[in-house]
Amino acid sequence: MATLRVPDVVPSPTQDCERLKKAFKGLGTDEEGVIWILGHRNASQRRKIREIYQQLYNESLMDRLNSELSGHFRKAVILWTLDPPERDAKLANEALNKKKKGVDHLTVIIEIACASSPNHLMAVRQAYCSLFHCSLEEDITANVTLPLRKLLLGLVSSYRYERELVDTNLADSEAALLYDAIKKKYLDHDDVVWILSTRNVFQLKATFQCYKQKYGNSIDQDIKRSGTSDLESILRMVICCLDTPEKHFAEVIRNSVIGLGTDEDSLTRAIVTRAEIDMMKIKGEYLNMYQSSLDNAVSDDTSGDYKNILVTLLGKRF
Amino acid sequence: MATLRVPDVVPSPTQDCERLKKAFKGLGTDEEGVIWILGHRNASQRRKIREIYQQLYNESLMDRLNSELSGHFRKAVILWTLDPPERDAKLANEALNKKKKGVDHLTVIIEIACASSPNHLMAVRQAYCSLFHCSLEEDITANVTLPLRKLLLGLVSSYRYERELVDTNLADSEAALLYDAIKKKYLDHDDVVWILSTRNVFQLKATFQCYKQKYGNSIDQDIKRSGTSDLESILRMVICCLDTPEKHFAEVIRNSVIGLGTDEDSLTRAIVTRAEIDMMKIKGEYLNMYQSSLDNAVSDDTSGDYKNILVTLLGKRF
């Protein structure tokens, strides 16, 4: 369930554009006005606003937001205002071009491939080609080394069946295949990649359950025990995103606010990408996992306009 | 270029539906009427006719065609009238359920994956999930054995960049990778599958050209020389569909009419799937390859209503 709150009576896109234009007028920007409008519109309403804004003022709303706003607030508003597939294509591209060590920056690609709908993933691949003159798969190959590359390529190419259909015999036999691969520390085995990137999520949940019943430990525990390289950590993230995406995002938010300083990029990404999908569930999971409120954690760790847009998307300002 | 001929002034979908209904009336069917209408409408016009027919008469046009027509004529009209992604999903499903020996029946899957637009391939995968309660990838795995399975899975999961963008250095290095794999008879190497299922077709054409320049033989000749198993024959078909789909379809049509008897399934599939895409080019290639006319070959080998629908789609009856 989403936390985004849209008013019962939504102004016309033209009215919204006129108010936005007013918020941009003169020196300085009325940030509250921007949040008030865009922070309470869903993806198709925001698309309409972008189109009408272009028609009315012959300028791109995205360019204008870019020049009017700044800092983490700007990044949050821009990611929120973009069409979701385009937003995710840009996040994926940014991640692939980071050339960072480790694998944390690849998290967003796992999220797109494993915690999104199959149609959304297809739309992201289409947007990626339109924006970056090559396919997502080509950029993954150019920027990620084996064996991670193989797993990521499988995952982003997937188009899973979407309805709830579970074959318990299959769950049993594929749990055995996964167990065998983990025991042999052969985590990038073709079967593993194929199962995780092809089976529907209901089937996979059944397979993971079956794994625990048959072998005692959860698949996550067994992978954790089998090693601590990048492949293990990515594989555990993949399984979490497929099985319980709300847990994954609760963790992302927790890690971004805990300790000194804030990881604004991760915090923004998690809230912006899930506010229209399952943020209510993520809040529940957060409370469960950390015995504290996600809303408070975000409020306490941020400030100013940046805090206001996040808290708005979390459904706490209306 | 297409051979389908649509009249300058197209009747409204309602008029078309009324004429179709009239053609179905009473004992027997006015097959000429059916061909006259459906054989001169493009995919979006046919979709509109299907929708309006359902609204007007509260029955499915597809069901009605199925009960009114018979034999190869029926199959051709039905495949033609279906939405192209749905048609290809059905053809792929039929092929995978044939449980035939050899690989000829898998040709249609190669055609969908390698001789269609990236967006069409995505639409076929979506249609497949809607129609058959599992993904195309799951059915390939269940019905095709390794090493073919691996190649087919890569190909059907692809979403290639569509515009003309060629990197000659890349063409050179990937030609070398392909050459190496063929020399080692390691035709299902990850690199081979990845290159063929990820690179855009312009890049691949450049790679195949580069291959010939550097190593003397065409890649097709080298694969042919390296063995005669199913994998070699499928791989040659893949390369032909990517490089020169018109050659592939000219061959399919030639093989379906040559000798005693006709392979109507292949003939129908080739004409129905390409009449709106590149049948003009296929005719040119046919003439080139066999010094005879494709139109004549089809006319000479078929008869009756079946002949009439094919010849109509080939643009020879108007």
Side-chain angles (χ1 to χ4, degrees):
Chain A
M1 266 197 343
T3 50
L4 169 69
R5 294 172 71 183
V6 174
D8 294 335
V9 182
V10 181
S12 74
T14 304
Q15 286 174 312
D16 278 344
C17 288
E18 285 164 354
R19 283 198 214 171
L20 282 169
K21 189 74 180 170
K22 212 173 137 198
F24 299 148
K25 220 171 177 181
L27 279 175
T29 308
D30 170 14
E31 284 88 358
E32 272 301 317
V34 173
I35 296 172
W36 192 249
I37 300 162
L38 294 173
H40 294 111
R41 300 292 180 272
N42 66 31
S44 73
Q45 291 162 343
R46 299 192 308 271
R47 182 187 313 127
K48 208 81 204 146
I49 291 174
R50 289 198 312 275
E51 288 167 11
I52 300 286
Y53 191 94
Q54 179 71 42
Q55 286 169 24
L56 285 176
Y57 307 114
N58 199 26
E59 74 173 358
S60 146
L61 175 61
M62 303 314 299
D63 288 351
R64 190 66 194 250
L65 288 169
N66 202 37
S67 71
E68 291 284 336
L69 314 179
S70 64
H72 299 302
F73 175 58
R74 166 165 67 189
K75 186 151 188 197
V77 172
I78 284 185
L79 285 178
W80 174 249
T81 309
L82 281 169
D83 215 27
E86 200 179 326
R87 175 198 66 213
D88 283 357
K90 289 192 174 190
L91 286 170
N93 182 261
E94 204 183 283
L96 289 169
N97 284 307
K98 266 186 184 157
K99 315 258 182 216
K100 271 194 183 174
K101 282 202 171 177
V103 290
D104 281 356
H105 61 294
L106 299 176
T107 304
V108 62
I109 295 174
I110 309 286
E111 291 168 357
I112 296 167
C114 303
S116 304
S117 77
N119 285 328
H120 178 75
L121 174 57
M122 275 199 176
V124 173
R125 292 173 79 188
Q126 291 173 313
Y128 201 99
C129 277
S130 305
L131 290 168
F132 303 112
H133 304 298
C134 72
S135 64
L136 174 57
E137 304 84 273
E138 288 175 296
D139 267 355
I140 288 176
T141 305
N143 294 291
V144 182
T145 52
L146 284 170
L148 278 190
R149 180 200 298 167
K150 180 176 169 184
L151 180 62
L152 289 190
L153 285 176
L155 293 170
V156 302
S157 303
S158 82
Y159 182 74
R160 303 171 200 277
Y161 183 67
E162 219 180 352
R163 274 171 284 173
E164 191 163 350
L165 191 72
V166 174
D167 176 336
T168 47
N169 290 331
L170 203 66
D172 190 78
S173 65
E174 296 192 342
L177 284 173
L178 294 173
Y179 180 77
D180 206 46
I182 295 168
K183 216 172 65 180
K184 290 179 182 152
K185 295 186 191 286
Y186 191 179
L187 297 183
D188 63 330
H189 189 284
D190 285 352
D191 287 342
V192 176
V193 174
W194 186 84
I195 292 169
L196 296 178
S197 60
T198 312
R199 292 301 184 197
N200 77 64
V201 290
F202 303 99
Q203 180 69 40
L204 286 169
K205 280 174 206 272
T207 301
F208 302 148
Q209 259 178 5
C210 183
Y211 186 104
K212 192 166 181 185
Q213 276 166 7
K214 276 176 83 167
Y215 306 112
N217 296 320
S218 73
I219 184 167
D220 180 72
Q221 289 170 312
D222 277 354
I223 296 172
K224 196 174 174 181
R225 235 184 267 175
S226 87
T228 52
S229 77
D230 289 346
L231 184 58
E232 280 93 15
S233 90
I234 282 281
L235 207 53
R236 291 175 60 208
M237 196 189 289
V238 166
I239 287 168
C240 188
C241 280
L242 289 164
D243 194 26
T244 47
E246 61 280 7
K247 267 194 193 166
H248 167 79
F249 285 102
E251 257 183 59
V252 169
I253 293 176
R254 180 69 170 184
N255 291 336
S256 72
V257 295
I258 208 142
L260 277 177
T262 309
D263 174 359
E264 285 88 357
D265 281 352
S266 300
L267 182 62
T268 301
R269 187 187 79 241
I271 294 179
V272 162
T273 58
R274 307 310 284 196
E276 269 179 296
I277 300 180
D278 57 356
M279 187 48 84
M280 207 65 102
K281 229 174 161 183
I282 296 170
K283 285 188 189 187
E285 195 57 47
Y286 193 97
L287 192 62
N288 230 351
M289 290 166 78
Y290 309 112
Q291 276 78 48
S292 66
S293 135
L294 185 153
D295 290 333
N296 292 346
V298 173
S299 301
D300 293 350
D301 227 56
T302 54
S303 65
D305 299 321
Y306 178 55
K307 170 178 166 174
N308 292 340
I309 179 73
L310 296 186
V311 172
T312 301
L313 297 181
L314 290 172
K316 301 309 282 181
R317 286 173 101 227
F318 202 56
Chain B
M1 263 197 347
T3 51
L4 169 69
R5 292 172 72 183
V6 174
D8 293 336
V9 181
V10 181
S12 74
T14 304
Q15 286 174 314
D16 279 343
C17 288
E18 285 164 354
R19 284 198 214 171
L20 282 169
K21 188 74 181 172
K22 213 173 137 196
F24 299 148
K25 219 170 178 179
L27 280 174
T29 308
D30 170 14
E31 284 87 358
E32 273 301 320
V34 172
I35 296 173
W36 191 248
I37 300 161
L38 294 173
H40 294 110
R41 301 291 180 273
N42 65 31
S44 73
Q45 291 161 344
R46 300 194 304 276
R47 183 187 312 129
K48 208 83 202 139
I49 292 174
R50 288 198 313 275
E51 288 167 8
I52 300 285
Y53 191 93
Q54 179 70 43
Q55 286 167 23
L56 285 176
Y57 307 115
N58 199 26
E59 74 173 359
S60 145
L61 175 60
M62 302 314 299
D63 288 349
R64 190 66 194 248
L65 288 168
N66 202 38
S67 71
E68 291 285 336
L69 315 178
S70 65
H72 299 302
F73 174 57
R74 167 166 66 190
K75 185 151 189 195
V77 173
I78 283 185
L79 285 178
W80 174 248
T81 309
L82 281 169
D83 214 27
E86 199 178 329
R87 176 198 66 214
D88 282 357
K90 289 191 175 191
L91 286 170
N93 182 261
E94 203 182 284
L96 289 170
N97 284 307
K98 266 185 183 154
K99 316 261 181 211
K100 271 194 182 174
K101 281 202 171 179
V103 291
D104 281 356
H105 60 294
L106 299 176
T107 304
V108 62
I109 295 174
I110 309 286
E111 292 168 356
I112 295 167
C114 304
S116 304
S117 77
N119 285 328
H120 179 74
L121 174 57
M122 274 200 177
V124 174
R125 291 173 79 188
Q126 291 173 313
Y128 201 99
C129 277
S130 303
L131 291 168
F132 304 112
H133 303 297
C134 71
S135 65
L136 174 56
E137 304 85 272
E138 287 175 297
D139 267 355
I140 288 175
T141 305
N143 294 291
V144 183
T145 52
L146 286 170
L148 278 189
R149 179 197 300 166
K150 180 177 170 183
L151 180 62
L152 289 190
L153 286 176
L155 293 169
V156 301
S157 302
S158 82
Y159 183 73
R160 302 171 200 279
Y161 183 68
E162 219 179 352
R163 275 171 282 173
E164 191 164 349
L165 190 72
V166 175
D167 177 336
T168 48
N169 289 331
L170 203 65
D172 190 80
S173 65
E174 296 192 342
L177 284 173
L178 293 173
Y179 179 77
D180 206 46
I182 295 168
K183 217 172 62 180
K184 291 179 181 152
K185 296 186 190 285
Y186 191 179
L187 296 182
D188 63 331
H189 190 285
D190 285 354
D191 286 343
V192 175
V193 175
W194 186 83
I195 292 168
L196 295 178
S197 60
T198 311
R199 292 301 184 198
N200 79 62
V201 291
F202 303 99
Q203 179 69 39
L204 285 169
K205 280 174 205 272
T207 301
F208 302 148
Q209 261 178 4
C210 183
Y211 186 105
K212 191 167 182 184
Q213 276 168 6
K214 277 177 82 167
Y215 307 111
N217 296 320
S218 73
I219 182 166
D220 180 73
Q221 289 169 314
D222 277 353
I223 296 173
K224 195 174 176 182
R225 233 184 268 175
S226 85
T228 53
S229 77
D230 290 344
L231 184 59
E232 278 93 16
S233 92
I234 282 282
L235 207 54
R236 292 175 60 208
M237 194 189 290
V238 166
I239 287 166
C240 187
C241 280
L242 289 164
D243 194 26
T244 47
E246 62 279 8
K247 268 195 191 164
H248 166 79
F249 286 101
E251 257 183 60
V252 168
I253 293 175
R254 180 67 168 186
N255 291 337
S256 71
V257 296
I258 208 143
L260 277 175
T262 309
D263 173 0
E264 286 88 358
D265 281 352
S266 300
L267 182 61
T268 302
R269 187 188 78 241
I271 295 180
V272 162
T273 58
R274 307 309 286 195
E276 270 177 293
I277 300 181
D278 56 358
M279 187 47 84
M280 208 65 102
K281 229 173 160 183
I282 296 170
K283 285 188 189 186
E285 193 58 47
Y286 193 98
L287 192 62
N288 229 350
M289 289 166 77
Y290 309 111
Q291 275 79 49
S292 68
S293 135
L294 184 153
D295 290 332
N296 294 345
V298 174
S299 301
D300 293 349
D301 226 57
T302 55
S303 65
D305 300 320
Y306 178 55
K307 170 178 167 173
N308 291 340
I309 179 73
L310 296 186
V311 172
T312 301
L313 297 181
L314 291 172
K316 301 310 282 180
R317 286 174 99 226
F318 202 56

